[in-house]
Amino acid sequence: PRSGPRFAPAGTCNLPPIPAPGQIVTWTLAGSPYEICQNITIPSTSTVNVEAGVHITFDPDMQVVVLGTMQLQGQGAQHILLQAPAVFPPILDIDGGAFNAAFSDFTGQVRVENGANVALSDCAFQGNNAVLWAQELPTTRPFIRIERCTFTSSSAFITDALAVLADNVFTGATCSLLRGLADVTTTNTFTNSSFSL
């Protein structure tokens, strides 16, 4: 028989608690590290709070779809880490939901879709698979605020969104803002990077 974690039946990994509609759940540091070994949807009326220091690893082809609210409550000394095996599919798909992340490090794609409300502060996108990507031609423009984040050998493709970029650092990275409305009046720093507006 096949063995090893790659072929484990669904539900046998350390999956974080999944909220029922209307429920609030916490992904605790004590319960970490978590493994996303099946697709998870956070319902539109539900909230997931992720404690500082939590590590979340995504199996191939698995993702979390945020229709509700997800709060990543990292701290300066205790970052939250989200590790992805590949750039696709997105590890996080924020579709109409609210996503707030502080002191969180991403190595996979974060996709922002219709009407989502996203705030990233003191976050890091690291490596070629780390992409912040906003859906083109959404029915409702998402709002994306990115403050004090670092993009290292990674990418941000923000299209048709209301975007605010403030005090971010791009190193060996790509940042593209297409259509939509973007506020880039605050300093953003680009080193060996490309920026298109």
Side-chain angles (χ1 to χ4, degrees), residues 98-102 117-121 123 143-147 149:
F99 183 81
N100 298 312
N117 194 327
V118 175
L120 304 174
S121 58
C123 291
F143 177 77
I144 305 171
R145 183 178 183 89
I146 310 166
E147 284 184 290
C149 293

Side-chain angles (χ1 to χ4, degrees), residues 4 87 127 179:
V87 69
R179 296 188 302 269

Side-chain angles (χ1 to χ4, degrees), residues 40-70:
I40 293 176
T41 298
I42 299 170
S44 61
T45 54
S46 306
T47 299
V48 169
N49 295 315
V50 182
E51 290 183 347
V54 165
H55 285 199
I56 305 166
T57 302
F58 290 78
D59 284 4
D61 301 324
M62 298 302 159
Q63 67 180 166
V64 173
V65 176
V66 183
L67 305 177
T69 301
M70 190 170 188

Side-chain angles (χ1 to χ4, degrees), residues 1-88:
R2 294 184 296 186
S3 63
R6 187 180 166 86
F7 301 109
T12 59
C13 73
N14 189 30
L15 198 66
I18 304 166
Q23 192 179 28
I24 299 172
V25 299
T26 300
W27 296 2
T28 63
L29 179 56
S32 172
Y34 293 108
E35 182 183 350
I36 307 298
C37 60
Q38 66 187 55
N39 288 319
I40 293 176
T41 298
I42 299 170
S44 61
T45 54
S46 306
T47 299
V48 169
N49 295 315
V50 182
E51 290 183 347
V54 165
H55 285 199
I56 305 166
T57 302
F58 290 78
D59 284 4
D61 301 324
M62 298 302 159
Q63 67 180 166
V64 173
V65 176
V66 183
L67 305 177
T69 301
M70 190 170 188
Q71 310 262 12
L72 275 59
Q73 301 162 338
Q75 296 171 357
Q78 279 191 303
H79 284 223
I80 293 168
L81 179 61
L82 298 93
Q83 287 185 291
V87 69
F88 195 84

